[in-house]
Amino acid sequence: MPPTSLTKRLLCTGLLLVVLGSAAEARPDLAGQDDTAFREAVSRWLADDDSSLTTLAMLAREGNRAARLLLGRIEFTDRAPKAGLRALSRDGWLDLFRAPRGNSRFAPSWITTEARAGNTLAMLLKRATSLGLSPDAVFAIKAAGEPEATEHLIRKIAVDGSNAQRHDLLTRLGPDHELQPYVFGFRHAPAGLNTGATAFQRISGNAVIAFAAQRAQEILPQIANTFADHGYQGGDQLPLGWATTADGEAIANWVLNTRTAEPLASLCRSHCNDAELQACATTAFGLFGGYYEVIRLDSPLENLIAQSRFLYSARARGMAARRVANARTELGDPVFSETQLRNRSNCLADAVDPWRFPSAVD
């Protein structure tokens, strides 16, 4: 009897799990990571020097596997490219970040090229950005030493997965995972309406699950929930003086005392006195896009650059400054003019002023 479509799907799923399991157990293939030119390029990239990308691109074309994977992940994870990169033509961008086209119509990513060559880490990294809803893939990628690379898959499962898959994630991720509030928000409200309340719950340190449902019924906390969820993406809806309320203080304290938000905290501490820190931290948090965007400031490849090394680097601070300086609403408009920003946090405006792009002016 020929296999049914369901049987075929089950067989494919089983094969995928075998591949993922064996890939997670294999040693990552990062040949070239000890090359002097590669190590120097990594140091320059962490120093926020984009000339490092030209070196990485040259090494990638010469066959350096570490450079290939790092370059592919930088392209995917950079939350705020510098002006020079933004100004590149499409061909210039592809020449810098992608493998040669060859006979293909499109320039493949170096991760795709390495995955096709059998590089097990590349196969997992490709899986991290592919279609499909597999909690097992999340934990195979995590086991390979790339927990931050699971972010895209976790979000997809939270939004489009079944409640059984969400429950599986919540159980296996544990209560301390930074995306636990996101998965929980969709688990208990399919439209994702509770993700703001659960984000604020994490920020404020309140561990009572009922806290999220309670806040959803209160008008002022709804504003804080929305702000925690996505900051100023929907525009400025905060009442005057909100940053000095208990909710504003909770967000500022999280920014200033959580390793995840270190690039934002460093930005404020380098330009503000103690009395200005709360307004700076709260404003920077909102301009960056709220909790679920701040936690995306991640090392592109943790097998090569530890998350702690990245978060305390000039590159992470530069990304944070560029993102804050050029923040846009969901309609694509600048959130604040420079004058409006200075009215909220003059020292933050000073901190990000060198990073403002020409279109972000009064």
Side-chain angles (χ1 to χ4, degrees), residues 45 72-80 296 298-300 319:
W45 185 79
R73 287 293 295 170
I74 288 173
E75 181 188 21
F76 184 77
T77 61
D78 190 346
R79 305 300 174 204
R296 299 178 80 189
D298 295 326
S299 165
M319 283 186 186

Side-chain angles (χ1 to χ4, degrees), residues 7 15 88 99 192 260 354:
T7 302
L15 178 59
L88 287 176
T260 302

Side-chain angles (χ1 to χ4, degrees), residues 20-316:
L20 289 174
S22 61
E25 295 170 3
R27 184 177 179 180
D29 189 345
L30 291 165
Q33 63 180 309
D34 294 325
D35 183 281
T36 299
F38 174 77
R39 293 169 70 88
E40 290 177 349
V42 170
S43 294
R44 283 189 286 122
W45 185 79
L46 287 168
D48 214 20
D49 178 356
D50 275 357
S51 70
S52 58
L53 297 173
T54 303
T55 301
L56 290 174
M58 177 192 70
L59 292 171
R61 287 191 291 271
E62 292 175 352
N64 185 305
R65 287 189 149 179
R68 289 179 171 188
L69 295 189
L70 181 58
L71 201 58
R73 287 293 295 170
I74 288 173
E75 181 188 21
F76 184 77
T77 61
D78 190 346
R79 305 300 174 204
K82 298 174 81 169
L85 286 182
R86 289 165 56 91
L88 287 176
S89 65
R90 177 169 174 75
D91 284 344
W93 181 278
L94 295 178
D95 285 344
L96 184 62
F97 284 106
R98 302 290 183 92
R101 283 189 177 88
N103 295 324
S104 173
R105 181 179 177 183
F106 304 102
S109 73
W110 283 114
I111 290 175
T112 296
T113 300
E114 282 294 300
R116 288 172 178 168
N119 187 327
T120 54
L121 181 58
M123 292 165 65
L124 284 169
L125 292 172
K126 184 170 174 58
R127 179 65 178 159
T129 59
S130 299
L131 297 176
L133 302 169
S134 171
D136 288 314
V138 169
F139 295 97
I141 296 164
K142 184 174 182 292
E146 297 295 336
E148 301 300 339
T150 63
E151 180 259 352
H152 182 70
L153 276 180
I154 291 173
R155 286 178 182 251
K156 280 171 50 179
I157 294 169
V159 175
D160 297 322
S162 66
N163 270 343
Q165 288 174 319
R166 295 182 186 117
H167 179 74
D168 185 20
L169 269 186
L170 287 171
T171 301
R172 296 163 70 183
L173 288 175
D176 295 330
H177 194 279
E178 61 189 13
L179 277 171
Q180 186 265 4
Y182 193 78
V183 182
F184 186 88
F186 279 92
R187 173 70 176 83
H188 290 268
L193 298 177
N194 281 346
T195 55
T198 52
F200 191 86
Q201 174 187 337
R202 172 58 58 86
I203 287 168
S204 65
N206 193 315
V208 181
I209 297 302
F211 178 69
Q214 173 189 335
R215 290 180 62 82
Q217 307 303 317
E218 302 173 15
I219 294 176
L220 185 58
Q222 281 183 350
I223 296 172
N225 294 346
T226 300
F227 191 68
D229 203 352
H230 47 69
Y232 288 117
Q233 185 182 12
D236 181 14
Q237 302 175 25
L238 300 179
L240 191 63
W242 179 86
T244 63
T245 66
D247 285 348
E249 183 178 3
I251 287 175
N253 285 339
W254 182 83
V255 171
L256 295 170
N257 296 289
T258 305
R259 190 189 74 154
T260 302
E262 172 59 29
L264 291 178
S266 177
L267 195 62
C268 289
R269 289 196 177 101
S270 64
H271 287 78
C272 306
N273 60 42
D274 289 346
E276 298 171 315
L277 279 177
Q278 182 168 324
C280 176
T282 305
T283 305
F285 173 92
L287 289 171
F288 201 88
Y291 173 83
Y292 296 112
E293 286 300 311
V294 173
I295 64 173
R296 299 178 80 189
L297 270 169
D298 295 326
S299 165
L301 199 62
E302 292 176 271
N303 276 283
L304 293 173
I305 302 172
Q307 177 73 345
S308 57
R309 184 184 181 194
F310 170 77
L311 286 173
Y312 288 87
S313 71
R315 172 65 61 172

